[in-house]
Amino acid sequence: MFVSRSSERAIERAGPSGEDTSRFPGSYYAASLGAAIAAPALGGDAITDFCVIGGGFTGLGAALALARRGRSVRLVEMGPIGWGASGRNGGQVHVGWQQDQPWFEQRLGTDRARALWQAALDARAHLDSLIALADDACDYRAGLIHADHKADHVAATHAHVAMMRETYGYDSLTPLSRDALRAMVGSPDYHGGSFDARGGHLHPLKLAQAMARAAQDAGAVLHAHTPCTGLEPARDGWRVKTPHGTITTGQVLDATGAYARALVPQSDAHVLPINNYIATTAPLDPALATSLIRNDAAVSDSRFVVYYFRMTPDHRLLFGGGESYGYRMPRDIAAFVRPHLARIFPQLADVPISHAWGGSLAISPNRLPFAIEPRPGLHAVNGFSGVGVVLAPWLGDAVGRAMAGEANNAYDLVRRLPSPRFPGGPWLRWPTQALAMRFMALRDRF
Ligand SMILES: Cc1cc2nc3c(=O)[nH]c(=O)nc-3n(C[C@H](O)[C@H](O)[C@H](O)COP(=O)(O)OP(=O)(O)OC[C@H]3O[C@@H](n4cnc5c(N)ncnc54)[C@H](O)[C@@H]3O)c2cc1C
């Protein structure tokens, strides 16, 4: 058994984070989705070649890749499809990894650094192909502003832009002076930054649902409201236990993100779940909305605990800010986010908040994702560290192709990335890392 009896009971009741898995959280995304796809819960035993645990971008990417290759694949998700981080994130489309190119060059050499940059561009192009699956293009809007909250960060940002243009030929990036940035973002908090024309923002729950629909159309069988309560080796593969049936499968993928709890301990050791919070305002007067962000771009800042924000199509400000460590979320999330929002936009200090929600993201020690196969036929992909909108569907696709026996560069590149574990094991990694993160977050204030 890979999961203890007590965690088994907890997962059956409410999901490992203690949240209600019977429906989406009360997010703006759930409210603006329309009808969710039908994906009936598993109601008996089944046999399949491949089984994916987790219906977020990673799991859906893998299921879609396998189904498109004519493989028999089932996916189990403990909530509705897209219930986890994939259906509740900021929707910000970042090009690249959580480490910059000089970081890769110094540790892995120039050739691998270049290959990783090309992979980041491939991942971004892959996202375009997924956005195109939805009639409304998942509300995609182009443009991402990086905003520096300290004046002495700006020179480094501009040097980075110059290096990416000259060394990597990436001319979608442009530097922003203090005046140029303030002409785009109506906040006194920022001193300059950069603009990435290949970045952008989208409705992430629409993206997850579009991927799920495409996977079903290609022949994948998706089971929402079906928690995996245990995973056991079987004679020719694995048994995936759920409350109302067992799936016997040749290969299994753990794509449970930050919601993973003791299913595959070898994977858990590489990630730390962190809670992050988002609020949307009531629809704003269009002129006020335009004064906050003038070119409809997404904005993400230089704080350790990043503030990120953008407009929705109906002129709400969708603002992400504030983190907590541990399983519990604040009782009043709107009150938790409001001071962060007011710090950036004092003019919105008393604005009505229509929706507020939290989600868990999985960070890894070096902030890079990993793909491991701890036992034959048992795969795990995780650790996107806050930039999974572009990378998770792409890496899910890569691992799906690899499970189908198709060699691919994307999978090999990620398999070869350094993938340290958090010190302290499953329990001690929490207090030590949380302390370190709180210290870093404190530095944002000075
Ligand atoms: C608040 C927030 C804001 C973010 N903002 C951004 C952003 O703006 N841009 C960006 O690039 N990234 C962002 N991220 C990160 C991004 O959302 C993730 O990296 C990405 O969604 C990870 O996808 P995933 O499929 O690996 O995990 P998830 O989407 O979390 O999927 C895992 C799924 O597994 C399911 N599951 C867990 N355990 C079980 C089980 N035992 N049985 C069955 N199912 C199970 C869960 O219900 C969940 O749906 C944000 C994350 C959060 C939480």
mmCIF file of all heavy atoms in Angstrom, residues 301-331:
data_model
loop_
_atom_site.group_PDB
_atom_site.id
_atom_site.type_symbol
_atom_site.label_atom_id
_atom_site.label_comp_id
_atom_site.label_asym_id
_atom_site.label_seq_id
_atom_site.Cartn_x
_atom_site.Cartn_y
_atom_site.Cartn_z
ATOM 1 N N ASP A 301 4.613 40.847 -10.419
ATOM 2 C CA ASP A 301 5.673 41.726 -9.920
ATOM 3 C C ASP A 301 6.874 40.976 -9.366
ATOM 4 O O ASP A 301 6.955 39.736 -9.424
ATOM 5 C CB ASP A 301 5.102 42.810 -8.991
ATOM 6 C CG ASP A 301 4.827 42.329 -7.578
ATOM 7 O OD1 ASP A 301 5.240 41.216 -7.220
ATOM 8 O OD2 ASP A 301 4.194 43.097 -6.823
ATOM 9 N N SER A 302 7.823 41.745 -8.815
ATOM 10 C CA SER A 302 9.124 41.178 -8.447
ATOM 11 C C SER A 302 9.187 40.745 -6.989
ATOM 12 O O SER A 302 10.246 40.397 -6.490
ATOM 13 C CB SER A 302 10.224 42.219 -8.717
ATOM 14 O OG SER A 302 9.919 43.426 -8.037
ATOM 15 N N ARG A 303 8.065 40.754 -6.270
ATOM 16 C CA ARG A 303 8.097 40.330 -4.865
ATOM 17 C C ARG A 303 8.390 38.839 -4.763
ATOM 18 O O ARG A 303 8.091 38.064 -5.677
ATOM 19 C CB ARG A 303 6.754 40.643 -4.197
ATOM 20 C CG ARG A 303 6.547 42.116 -3.948
ATOM 21 C CD ARG A 303 5.170 42.385 -3.350
ATOM 22 N NE ARG A 303 5.118 43.729 -2.785
ATOM 23 C CZ ARG A 303 4.896 44.822 -3.499
ATOM 24 N NH1 ARG A 303 4.715 44.750 -4.809
ATOM 25 N NH2 ARG A 303 4.875 46.012 -2.918
ATOM 26 N N PHE A 304 8.930 38.428 -3.613
ATOM 27 C CA PHE A 304 9.142 36.994 -3.371
ATOM 28 C C PHE A 304 7.787 36.290 -3.372
ATOM 29 O O PHE A 304 7.603 35.253 -4.011
ATOM 30 C CB PHE A 304 9.880 36.784 -2.041
ATOM 31 C CG PHE A 304 10.104 35.342 -1.725
ATOM 32 C CD1 PHE A 304 11.066 34.613 -2.416
ATOM 33 C CD2 PHE A 304 9.347 34.697 -0.757
ATOM 34 C CE1 PHE A 304 11.264 33.261 -2.136
ATOM 35 C CE2 PHE A 304 9.546 33.362 -0.471
ATOM 36 C CZ PHE A 304 10.500 32.639 -1.157
ATOM 37 N N VAL A 305 6.826 36.842 -2.644
ATOM 38 C CA VAL A 305 5.439 36.369 -2.771
ATOM 39 C C VAL A 305 4.792 37.303 -3.790
ATOM 40 O O VAL A 305 4.358 38.405 -3.474
ATOM 41 C CB VAL A 305 4.690 36.409 -1.422
ATOM 42 C CG1 VAL A 305 3.250 35.945 -1.608
ATOM 43 C CG2 VAL A 305 5.398 35.518 -0.402
ATOM 44 N N VAL A 306 4.757 36.806 -5.023
ATOM 45 C CA VAL A 306 4.431 37.661 -6.175
ATOM 46 C C VAL A 306 2.995 38.180 -6.093
ATOM 47 O O VAL A 306 2.081 37.449 -5.734
ATOM 48 C CB VAL A 306 4.602 36.828 -7.470
ATOM 49 C CG1 VAL A 306 4.194 37.604 -8.694
ATOM 50 C CG2 VAL A 306 6.034 36.326 -7.593
ATOM 51 N N TYR A 307 2.807 39.462 -6.425
ATOM 52 C CA TYR A 307 1.465 39.979 -6.710
ATOM 53 C C TYR A 307 1.250 39.841 -8.219
ATOM 54 O O TYR A 307 2.133 40.220 -9.006
ATOM 55 C CB TYR A 307 1.348 41.447 -6.330
ATOM 56 C CG TYR A 307 1.313 41.733 -4.844
ATOM 57 C CD1 TYR A 307 1.707 42.970 -4.357
ATOM 58 C CD2 TYR A 307 0.865 40.781 -3.936
ATOM 59 C CE1 TYR A 307 1.671 43.254 -2.991
ATOM 60 C CE2 TYR A 307 0.823 41.053 -2.576
ATOM 61 C CZ TYR A 307 1.232 42.280 -2.112
ATOM 62 O OH TYR A 307 1.199 42.555 -0.773
ATOM 63 N N TYR A 308 0.097 39.326 -8.604
ATOM 64 C CA TYR A 308 -0.203 39.179 -10.036
ATOM 65 C C TYR A 308 -1.649 39.590 -10.255
ATOM 66 O O TYR A 308 -2.513 39.314 -9.408
ATOM 67 C CB TYR A 308 0.072 37.740 -10.516
ATOM 68 C CG TYR A 308 -0.575 36.666 -9.673
ATOM 69 C CD1 TYR A 308 -1.828 36.144 -9.992
ATOM 70 C CD2 TYR A 308 0.072 36.169 -8.542
ATOM 71 C CE1 TYR A 308 -2.418 35.163 -9.217
ATOM 72 C CE2 TYR A 308 -0.515 35.192 -7.754
ATOM 73 C CZ TYR A 308 -1.761 34.697 -8.093
ATOM 74 O OH TYR A 308 -2.347 33.731 -7.296
ATOM 75 N N PHE A 309 -1.904 40.256 -11.371
ATOM 76 C CA PHE A 309 -3.265 40.744 -11.591
ATOM 77 C C PHE A 309 -3.519 41.009 -13.067
ATOM 78 O O PHE A 309 -2.575 41.099 -13.865
ATOM 79 C CB PHE A 309 -3.530 42.003 -10.762
ATOM 80 C CG PHE A 309 -2.421 43.029 -10.759
ATOM 81 C CD1 PHE A 309 -2.421 44.087 -11.670
ATOM 82 C CD2 PHE A 309 -1.385 42.948 -9.847
ATOM 83 C CE1 PHE A 309 -1.416 45.032 -11.661
ATOM 84 C CE2 PHE A 309 -0.358 43.899 -9.832
ATOM 85 C CZ PHE A 309 -0.374 44.941 -10.741
ATOM 86 N N ARG A 310 -4.785 41.129 -13.383
ATOM 87 C CA ARG A 310 -5.226 41.346 -14.760
ATOM 88 C C ARG A 310 -6.719 41.621 -14.748
ATOM 89 O O ARG A 310 -7.367 41.466 -13.719
ATOM 90 C CB ARG A 310 -4.978 40.085 -15.579
ATOM 91 C CG ARG A 310 -5.828 38.910 -15.068
ATOM 92 C CD ARG A 310 -5.352 37.637 -15.651
ATOM 93 N NE ARG A 310 -6.088 36.470 -15.278
ATOM 94 C CZ ARG A 310 -7.201 36.044 -15.860
ATOM 95 N NH1 ARG A 310 -7.797 36.766 -16.798
ATOM 96 N NH2 ARG A 310 -7.752 34.912 -15.493
ATOM 97 N N MET A 311 -7.241 42.025 -15.902
ATOM 98 C CA MET A 311 -8.674 42.258 -16.014
ATOM 99 C C MET A 311 -9.361 41.014 -16.573
ATOM 100 O O MET A 311 -8.780 40.288 -17.377
ATOM 101 C CB MET A 311 -8.958 43.430 -16.968
ATOM 102 C CG MET A 311 -8.594 44.755 -16.390
ATOM 103 S SD MET A 311 -9.644 45.068 -14.941
ATOM 104 C CE MET A 311 -8.691 46.370 -14.188
ATOM 105 N N THR A 312 -10.607 40.810 -16.187
ATOM 106 C CA THR A 312 -11.416 39.766 -16.820
ATOM 107 C C THR A 312 -12.186 40.421 -17.977
ATOM 108 O O THR A 312 -12.264 41.664 -18.040
ATOM 109 C CB THR A 312 -12.424 39.187 -15.818
ATOM 110 O OG1 THR A 312 -13.315 40.228 -15.432
ATOM 111 C CG2 THR A 312 -11.713 38.621 -14.594
ATOM 112 N N PRO A 313 -12.770 39.625 -18.865
ATOM 113 C CA PRO A 313 -13.507 40.242 -19.980
ATOM 114 C C PRO A 313 -14.650 41.147 -19.509
ATOM 115 O O PRO A 313 -15.022 42.078 -20.213
ATOM 116 C CB PRO A 313 -14.046 39.031 -20.756
ATOM 117 C CG PRO A 313 -13.090 37.918 -20.431
ATOM 118 C CD PRO A 313 -12.647 38.164 -19.023
ATOM 119 N N ASP A 314 -15.209 40.883 -18.302
ATOM 120 C CA ASP A 314 -16.297 41.754 -17.824
ATOM 121 C C ASP A 314 -15.785 42.819 -16.836
ATOM 122 O O ASP A 314 -16.524 43.279 -15.966
ATOM 123 C CB ASP A 314 -17.448 40.927 -17.220
ATOM 124 C CG ASP A 314 -17.004 40.075 -16.033
ATOM 125 O OD1 ASP A 314 -15.779 40.017 -15.756
ATOM 126 O OD2 ASP A 314 -17.871 39.476 -15.372
ATOM 127 N N HIS A 315 -14.498 43.210 -16.994
ATOM 128 C CA HIS A 315 -13.913 44.362 -16.293
ATOM 129 C C HIS A 315 -13.789 44.186 -14.777
ATOM 130 O O HIS A 315 -13.890 45.167 -14.031
ATOM 131 C CB HIS A 315 -14.692 45.658 -16.579
ATOM 132 C CG HIS A 315 -14.890 45.942 -18.030
ATOM 133 N ND1 HIS A 315 -13.849 46.119 -18.904
ATOM 134 C CD2 HIS A 315 -16.020 46.051 -18.768
ATOM 135 C CE1 HIS A 315 -14.319 46.324 -20.108
ATOM 136 N NE2 HIS A 315 -15.637 46.284 -20.060
ATOM 137 N N ARG A 316 -13.596 42.976 -14.321
ATOM 138 C CA ARG A 316 -13.222 42.786 -12.912
ATOM 139 C C ARG A 316 -11.705 42.788 -12.839
ATOM 140 O O ARG A 316 -11.037 42.265 -13.741
ATOM 141 C CB ARG A 316 -13.697 41.428 -12.390
ATOM 142 C CG ARG A 316 -15.174 41.234 -12.397
ATOM 143 C CD ARG A 316 -15.495 39.741 -12.210
ATOM 144 N NE ARG A 316 -16.839 39.472 -12.675
ATOM 145 C CZ ARG A 316 -17.914 39.543 -11.909
ATOM 146 N NH1 ARG A 316 -17.793 39.800 -10.632
ATOM 147 N NH2 ARG A 316 -19.118 39.341 -12.398
ATOM 148 N N LEU A 317 -11.177 43.312 -11.743
ATOM 149 C CA LEU A 317 -9.743 43.115 -11.498
ATOM 150 C C LEU A 317 -9.602 41.769 -10.801
ATOM 151 O O LEU A 317 -10.243 41.521 -9.768
ATOM 152 C CB LEU A 317 -9.179 44.226 -10.603
ATOM 153 C CG LEU A 317 -7.682 44.059 -10.295
ATOM 154 C CD1 LEU A 317 -6.825 44.343 -11.540
ATOM 155 C CD2 LEU A 317 -7.250 44.968 -9.142
ATOM 156 N N LEU A 318 -8.811 40.886 -11.380
ATOM 157 C CA LEU A 318 -8.521 39.585 -10.754
ATOM 158 C C LEU A 318 -7.125 39.722 -10.160
ATOM 159 O O LEU A 318 -6.145 39.918 -10.889
ATOM 160 C CB LEU A 318 -8.601 38.491 -11.810
ATOM 161 C CG LEU A 318 -8.465 37.041 -11.333
ATOM 162 C CD1 LEU A 318 -9.230 36.106 -12.290
ATOM 163 C CD2 LEU A 318 -7.025 36.590 -11.222
ATOM 164 N N PHE A 319 -7.036 39.673 -8.824
ATOM 165 C CA PHE A 319 -5.796 40.010 -8.115
ATOM 166 C C PHE A 319 -5.340 38.845 -7.243
ATOM 167 O O PHE A 319 -6.103 38.361 -6.405
ATOM 168 C CB PHE A 319 -6.027 41.248 -7.242
ATOM 169 C CG PHE A 319 -4.780 41.745 -6.569
ATOM 170 C CD1 PHE A 319 -4.024 42.757 -7.148
ATOM 171 C CD2 PHE A 319 -4.351 41.196 -5.375
ATOM 172 C CE1 PHE A 319 -2.857 43.215 -6.535
ATOM 173 C CE2 PHE A 319 -3.193 41.648 -4.756
ATOM 174 C CZ PHE A 319 -2.436 42.659 -5.342
ATOM 175 N N GLY A 320 -4.104 38.411 -7.446
ATOM 176 C CA GLY A 320 -3.541 37.338 -6.619
ATOM 177 C C GLY A 320 -2.492 37.896 -5.695
ATOM 178 O O GLY A 320 -1.601 38.641 -6.119
ATOM 179 N N GLY A 321 -2.596 37.538 -4.405
ATOM 180 C CA GLY A 321 -1.581 38.015 -3.454
ATOM 181 C C GLY A 321 -1.752 37.372 -2.096
ATOM 182 O O GLY A 321 -2.869 37.135 -1.650
ATOM 183 N N GLY A 322 -0.636 37.052 -1.484
ATOM 184 C CA GLY A 322 -0.659 36.471 -0.142
ATOM 185 C C GLY A 322 -0.553 34.957 -0.202
ATOM 186 O O GLY A 322 -1.085 34.324 -1.106
ATOM 187 N N GLU A 323 0.181 34.422 0.740
ATOM 188 C CA GLU A 323 0.397 32.975 0.791
ATOM 189 C C GLU A 323 0.240 32.488 2.208
ATOM 190 O O GLU A 323 0.368 33.263 3.153
ATOM 191 C CB GLU A 323 1.842 32.655 0.353
ATOM 192 C CG GLU A 323 1.957 32.371 -1.092
ATOM 193 C CD GLU A 323 3.373 32.058 -1.569
ATOM 194 O OE1 GLU A 323 4.302 31.915 -0.755
ATOM 195 O OE2 GLU A 323 3.511 31.976 -2.788
ATOM 196 N N SER A 324 0.008 31.194 2.376
ATOM 197 C CA SER A 324 0.103 30.583 3.703
ATOM 198 C C SER A 324 0.661 29.187 3.528
ATOM 199 O O SER A 324 0.607 28.619 2.433
ATOM 200 C CB SER A 324 -1.258 30.553 4.393
ATOM 201 O OG SER A 324 -2.128 29.665 3.731
ATOM 202 N N TYR A 325 1.193 28.672 4.607
ATOM 203 C CA TYR A 325 1.864 27.378 4.537
ATOM 204 C C TYR A 325 1.145 26.429 5.483
ATOM 205 O O TYR A 325 0.828 26.790 6.602
ATOM 206 C CB TYR A 325 3.337 27.540 4.928
ATOM 207 C CG TYR A 325 3.954 28.753 4.242
ATOM 208 C CD1 TYR A 325 4.178 29.938 4.926
ATOM 209 C CD2 TYR A 325 4.208 28.722 2.872
ATOM 210 C CE1 TYR A 325 4.683 31.051 4.271
ATOM 211 C CE2 TYR A 325 4.715 29.836 2.220
ATOM 212 C CZ TYR A 325 4.946 31.003 2.927
ATOM 213 O OH TYR A 325 5.423 32.100 2.276
ATOM 214 N N GLY A 326 0.865 25.223 5.023
ATOM 215 C CA GLY A 326 0.091 24.277 5.830
ATOM 216 C C GLY A 326 -1.207 23.978 5.099
ATOM 217 O O GLY A 326 -1.468 24.513 4.029
ATOM 218 N N TYR A 327 -2.041 23.124 5.692
ATOM 219 C CA TYR A 327 -3.254 22.695 4.979
ATOM 220 C C TYR A 327 -4.394 23.698 5.064
ATOM 221 O O TYR A 327 -5.239 23.760 4.205
ATOM 222 C CB TYR A 327 -3.730 21.353 5.533
ATOM 223 C CG TYR A 327 -2.801 20.213 5.189
ATOM 224 C CD1 TYR A 327 -2.248 19.420 6.174
ATOM 225 C CD2 TYR A 327 -2.478 19.946 3.863
ATOM 226 C CE1 TYR A 327 -1.392 18.381 5.853
ATOM 227 C CE2 TYR A 327 -1.627 18.912 3.539
ATOM 228 C CZ TYR A 327 -1.085 18.124 4.531
ATOM 229 O OH TYR A 327 -0.242 17.109 4.212
ATOM 230 N N ARG A 328 -4.423 24.492 6.162
ATOM 231 C CA ARG A 328 -5.592 25.352 6.378
ATOM 232 C C ARG A 328 -5.530 26.633 5.564
ATOM 233 O O ARG A 328 -4.485 27.245 5.445
ATOM 234 C CB ARG A 328 -5.668 25.736 7.846
ATOM 235 C CG ARG A 328 -6.017 24.570 8.713
ATOM 236 C CD ARG A 328 -7.263 24.880 9.541
ATOM 237 N NE ARG A 328 -7.651 23.653 10.230
ATOM 238 C CZ ARG A 328 -7.426 23.444 11.517
ATOM 239 N NH1 ARG A 328 -6.894 24.385 12.238
ATOM 240 N NH2 ARG A 328 -7.785 22.310 12.074
ATOM 241 N N MET A 329 -6.697 27.061 5.080
ATOM 242 C CA MET A 329 -6.796 28.355 4.398
ATOM 243 C C MET A 329 -7.518 29.326 5.330
ATOM 244 O O MET A 329 -8.292 28.894 6.175
ATOM 245 C CB MET A 329 -7.591 28.202 3.111
ATOM 246 C CG MET A 329 -6.909 27.279 2.123
ATOM 247 S SD MET A 329 -7.449 27.572 0.454
ATOM 248 C CE MET A 329 -6.499 26.333 -0.417
ATOM 249 N N PRO A 330 -7.290 30.642 5.175
ATOM 250 C CA PRO A 330 -7.991 31.593 6.047
ATOM 251 C C PRO A 330 -9.503 31.462 5.876
ATOM 252 O O PRO A 330 -9.987 31.146 4.782
ATOM 253 C CB PRO A 330 -7.518 32.954 5.551
ATOM 254 C CG PRO A 330 -6.494 32.717 4.514
ATOM 255 C CD PRO A 330 -6.432 31.275 4.194
ATOM 256 N N ARG A 331 -10.231 31.733 6.953
ATOM 257 C CA ARG A 331 -11.689 31.624 6.893
ATOM 258 C C ARG A 331 -12.273 32.666 5.932
ATOM 259 O O ARG A 331 -13.154 32.375 5.153
ATOM 260 C CB ARG A 331 -12.249 31.857 8.301
ATOM 261 C CG ARG A 331 -13.553 31.181 8.565
ATOM 262 C CD ARG A 331 -13.930 31.434 10.009
ATOM 263 N NE ARG A 331 -13.162 30.584 10.906
ATOM 264 C CZ ARG A 331 -13.595 29.401 11.334
ATOM 265 N NH1 ARG A 331 -14.759 28.955 10.952
ATOM 266 N NH2 ARG A 331 -12.860 28.679 12.145
#
